[in-house]
Amino acid sequence: MPGTLGALLSGLRHDSAFWRRALTAGVTRGPEPWVRHSPPVFGVFFAAALPEVRRRVEQNLRRVRGPRSRVADMLDSAAVFATYGSCLTEALLLASGRGYTVARRSRGVEHYRACAAAGRGVIIVTAHTGGWDIAGQILGVVHPEGVMLAMQRERDAEARAIQDAARQRAGVQVVHIGDGPLDALPLLNHLRRGGVVAMQIDRVPPGMRSREVAFLGARWRAPEGPIALAAISGAPILPVFTHRLGFLEYEAVVSPAIWLPRRATEEERDRAAAAMMGAMERFLRAHPTQWFHFTGEGPVEPAGRRENKRRED
């Protein structure tokens, strides 16, 4: 019985295959009013049903925009989950074959054009924000060599397969990293062909090296992957973050590129990590309810606190 209950609760998680299959069926056969208006409702349902995840979201909101009233926390948290539901649905809708297209806006696109003109490929660093799963599809239309999305494997293998299939139908190649030291080889080869590699920096995959940087008033871990890849390939790092404006309408905010020499020093790597996380912080300050950071990752604990915890354990 406990095993059956655990399986049921696992299947009801926001990232489970059950919900991905339900969403896929809905966007494939559902009428437009349903696919347009129901996802925010399901998102708010998840906010109510998952108190631990909701607590993490509220913590993130306080880090981004400072302390506010309990009511404001609840409303902003609901907005995060509602937007997440809409973005997830619209990513599947674009790959459904029903003829839907995305309306896109961009700020700072000149930074992307300057990077592409250098002919070394482009390393886009992004985060789990509104429309991040659609950004690769948008860029794949304008970049002839295509987009390769590097990401950590999701917890649910079946849910991952559903989402990866939708990305591939939209022309986005997916490479899962964090399993071994050779994971980066396809990314490096893609860059050498002049392609675009997109990597998320708001989470550090298991086994990936990281650097401590100042972020949201604390010390956080920035993944080493984009920095190492830039130093090896010579490709620039380009921070690009997206947010949802409305139904199938998104804006991409492009920051100035970060260039690293082939033999970058530790200080140069630290500056690159600080620059890419600084770009993300500026974006989140402007769009606090568009960050889908549902995991337990947070600020790095001070050394003294970590030592005390080890003694307690």
Side-chain angles (χ1 to χ4, degrees):
M1 186 67 179
T4 303
L5 179 59
L8 176 62
L9 293 176
S10 178
L12 293 178
R13 283 175 51 128
H14 73 283
D15 57 352
S16 70
F18 171 81
W19 292 114
R20 296 289 172 86
R21 287 195 299 268
L23 276 174
T24 301
V27 301
T28 301
R29 296 187 289 271
E32 180 168 324
W34 172 260
V35 299
R36 181 188 288 264
H37 300 297
S38 67
V41 177
F42 283 106
V44 173
F45 166 77
F46 280 123
L50 301 171
E52 180 61 25
V53 178
R54 187 176 68 249
R55 182 187 64 81
R56 295 172 190 164
V57 168
E58 292 175 357
Q59 285 179 340
N60 291 330
L61 286 166
R62 288 191 289 271
R63 289 170 181 140
V64 173
R65 50 135 172 85
R68 294 176 65 183
S69 69
R70 178 60 181 161
V71 173
D73 280 347
M74 293 176 61
L75 291 175
D76 284 351
S77 176
V80 171
F81 282 91
T83 304
Y84 174 75
S86 294
C87 291
L88 182 60
T89 301
E90 288 166 11
L92 293 170
L93 189 61
L94 287 173
S96 68
R98 295 182 59 175
Y100 285 91
T101 58
V102 62
R104 53 188 181 269
R105 303 180 188 177
S106 60
R107 282 187 281 149
V109 70
E110 67 276 6
H111 301 306
Y112 165 75
R113 290 174 179 154
C115 290
R120 302 181 185 179
V122 182
I123 302 168
I124 287 182
V125 291
T126 187
H128 295 80
T129 60
W132 74 265
D133 214 4
I134 296 175
Q137 300 175 27
I138 296 171
L139 193 56
V141 175
V142 299
H143 194 86
E145 298 300 329
V147 178
M148 183 173 284
L149 176 63
M151 60 184 300
Q152 182 182 357
R153 293 185 187 275
E154 293 186 60
R155 175 196 64 88
D156 189 315
E158 189 176 353
R160 179 180 70 241
I162 294 171
Q163 202 71 26
D164 285 353
R167 296 173 183 125
Q168 289 165 1
R169 287 195 299 271
V172 178
Q173 304 177 61
V174 180
V175 173
H176 294 285
I177 58 175
D179 292 336
L182 300 181
D183 289 351
L185 286 180
L187 309 180
L188 183 59
N189 291 333
H190 190 65
L191 288 171
R192 287 172 174 166
R193 293 192 295 267
V196 169
V197 168
M199 308 180 76
Q200 296 150 327
I201 60 173
D202 54 340
R203 301 174 192 172
V204 180
M208 178 178 285
R209 295 179 59 189
S210 62
R211 290 176 179 269
E212 286 191 19
V213 297
F215 179 68
L216 297 177
R219 302 295 296 179
W220 284 64
R221 294 193 303 148
E224 180 80 19
I227 299 167
L229 198 58
I232 293 172
S233 66
I237 297 172
L238 188 66
V240 180
F241 304 99
T242 56
H243 63 109
R244 184 178 185 270
L245 302 173
F247 180 67
L248 284 173
E249 185 177 3
Y250 294 83
E251 181 179 58
V253 180
V254 187
S255 296
I258 303 163
W259 294 85
L260 276 169
R262 292 295 181 99
R263 296 182 179 178
T265 65
E266 291 299 308
E267 290 76 13
E268 289 169 329
R269 291 170 182 255
D270 284 341
R271 285 197 293 270
M276 67 183 190
M277 297 299 285
M280 184 170 78
E281 179 172 331
R282 289 189 295 274
F283 175 87
L284 294 180
R285 300 281 192 197
H287 309 284
T289 62
Q290 298 263 337
W291 190 22
F292 310 144
H293 188 52
F294 301 144
T295 71
E297 289 190 35
V300 178
E301 293 183 348
R305 187 180 301 171
R306 289 197 298 268
E307 181 64 27
N308 289 337
K309 182 177 292 186
R310 282 195 295 268
R311 289 174 180 172
E312 291 173 2
D313 295 340

